[in-house]
Amino acid sequence: MGGLVIGSTMELVATGQNWLALTINQECNLDCAICYLGEKKANRIMSGALVEKLNEIARDMAGIAIIGTEPLLDEQSVKVIREFSVANKTHLITNGVNLSLFAESIKQVRRVDTSLDGGPKTYARSPSFAKIKEGARKWKDLSGGQVFVLDVFTKENIANVEDMLEGGHQLGAEKIYFSPYVRTLGGNERATPLRTEEIIEALLPFSRDDWKLMIDPYHAIFEWRDWNTIKAEIQRLPEKNRLIIDFDPGDRVRRIDADGKMRHPFMALHPGVSLPGRDVS
């Protein structure tokens, strides 16, 4: 679960903006321990008719955040991104694997969030960190847009804060957003969650301007603790380093799947087991 629903765009949502959050396909080129999806479905690409309808809806909103499954999976998915980015302000969350390959094709995108969960020493996905760095730098040079980095904390990687910060620096990130890992009902049980207080302890030595910890009431449910208690704990961090989502994201974020179903952003974290969404109207 990277970036609290829609990554760095959540900071804009927190100011009162309304955004569309779109899953344009149903497949990924990685198999990450923290992924909320669990077992992957057969791939399905968002149809042209749905893209056209959503482009019209987005004209009355701040923009579109394309959040998955992996938007840069293939040429078909990138074609969908281009159809959105021409008409609207578009942000994108990617694992960065194909960012170098498709950098030219998506240069009209305004913002790219790269999910890392590590840095030059501890990045544990495929391909190498150097390849991810190359893609982010190439896209930024071509587009003039902004790069952000998303890192999800688990018990297994909490000791790597300094390297995560270095990873964001090497990608040229405007800011790094940390969020706690949450187990969902999709079957992602290969990593170990942490309590918020453990994360805060790990972050306190790094009072810099280039990162924020994002947290929302959803995490309180999985810690079996009072939300107000967690909010009080996060006040230990400097104001510049915290983003508390103290509202229901469903009031400001319209989350649409590749099949045209609209779901609450939190319920969408439980694919295959959540209540069915309703068709986009």
Side-chain angles (χ1 to χ4, degrees):
M1 179 181 165
L4 284 178
V5 183
I6 56 172
S8 66
T9 307
M10 277 303 295
E11 186 135 30
L12 301 177
V13 174
T15 68
Q17 294 185 13
N18 297 320
W19 281 74
L20 273 181
L22 307 180
T23 298
I24 64 170
N25 59 26
Q26 293 179 319
E27 188 55 89
C28 187
N29 46 18
L30 292 180
D31 182 25
C32 302
I34 65 157
C35 183
Y36 68 88
L37 290 173
E39 184 178 354
K40 304 297 188 296
K41 303 176 182 178
N43 195 24
R44 178 172 178 173
I45 307 292
M46 186 172 280
S47 71
L50 180 56
V51 169
E52 185 177 353
K53 181 183 292 187
L54 293 175
N55 261 327
E56 288 299 318
I57 293 173
R59 293 183 191 280
D60 296 325
M61 308 185 83
I64 293 170
I66 299 178
I67 59 175
T69 296
E70 169 45 48
L72 302 182
L73 179 68
D74 52 25
E75 293 278 1
Q76 285 181 289
S77 301
V78 170
K79 181 181 177 182
V80 173
I81 295 170
R82 288 173 58 83
E83 289 172 353
F84 282 119
S85 63
V86 169
N88 292 286
K89 181 192 295 182
T90 305
H91 296 174
L92 180 75
I93 297 178
T94 176
N95 57 34
V97 169
N98 287 333
L99 185 52
S100 180
L101 177 64
F102 293 122
E104 173 75 29
S105 298
I106 64 162
K107 63 183 180 182
Q108 289 175 297
V109 170
R110 304 284 186 87
R111 173 183 294 197
V112 165
D113 289 8
T114 302
S115 176
L116 286 183
D117 307 324
K121 297 178 181 178
T122 59
Y123 179 79
R125 300 177 183 175
S126 177
S128 66
F129 177 82
K131 183 68 174 178
I132 305 300
K133 175 182 173 181
E134 174 195 348
R137 292 286 188 171
K138 181 178 179 180
W139 175 81
K140 189 173 183 179
D141 288 345
L142 284 168
S143 67
Q146 295 178 308
V147 171
F148 294 80
V149 161
L150 307 178
D151 289 300
V152 176
F153 281 131
T154 68
K155 183 177 181 180
E156 291 77 15
N157 70 14
I158 191 65
N160 303 332
V161 175
E162 187 169 8
D163 192 49
M164 291 177 180
L165 291 170
E166 177 60 22
H169 172 72
Q170 291 196 22
L171 262 65
E174 303 287 327
K175 192 162 290 184
I176 300 158
Y177 289 91
F178 296 116
S179 61
Y181 165 68
V182 170
R183 284 178 173 161
T184 65
L185 300 178
N188 63 334
E189 297 183 353
R190 292 176 290 163
T192 310
L194 292 165
R195 289 166 68 91
T196 308
E197 57 193 347
E198 296 175 275
I199 294 172
I200 292 168
E201 285 295 329
L203 287 172
L204 279 172
F206 302 97
S207 182
R208 300 168 15 174
D209 294 335
D210 59 350
W211 64 268
K212 284 194 175 184
L213 174 64
M214 295 195 290
I215 193 146
D216 63 28
Y218 197 69
H219 294 95
I221 296 172
F222 285 87
E223 291 187 33
W224 294 94
R225 293 200 293 154
D226 179 67
W227 171 232
N228 288 327
T229 299
I230 293 178
K231 283 195 295 182
E233 289 174 356
I234 203 173
Q235 302 298 325
R236 296 175 61 198
L237 294 174
E239 184 175 0
K240 64 184 179 182
N241 295 135
R242 60 183 190 249
L243 178 58
I244 302 173
I245 309 302
D246 203 14
F247 57 87
D248 181 353
D251 292 339
R252 304 178 192 175
V253 178
R254 295 185 68 180
R255 167 73 154 77
I256 314 295
D257 287 349
D259 59 4
K261 298 292 185 180
M262 183 164 62
R263 296 178 172 86
H264 189 282
F266 286 159
M267 293 308 298
L269 296 174
H270 303 286
V273 294
S274 61
L275 294 175
R278 61 184 178 87
D279 291 330
V280 177
S281 56

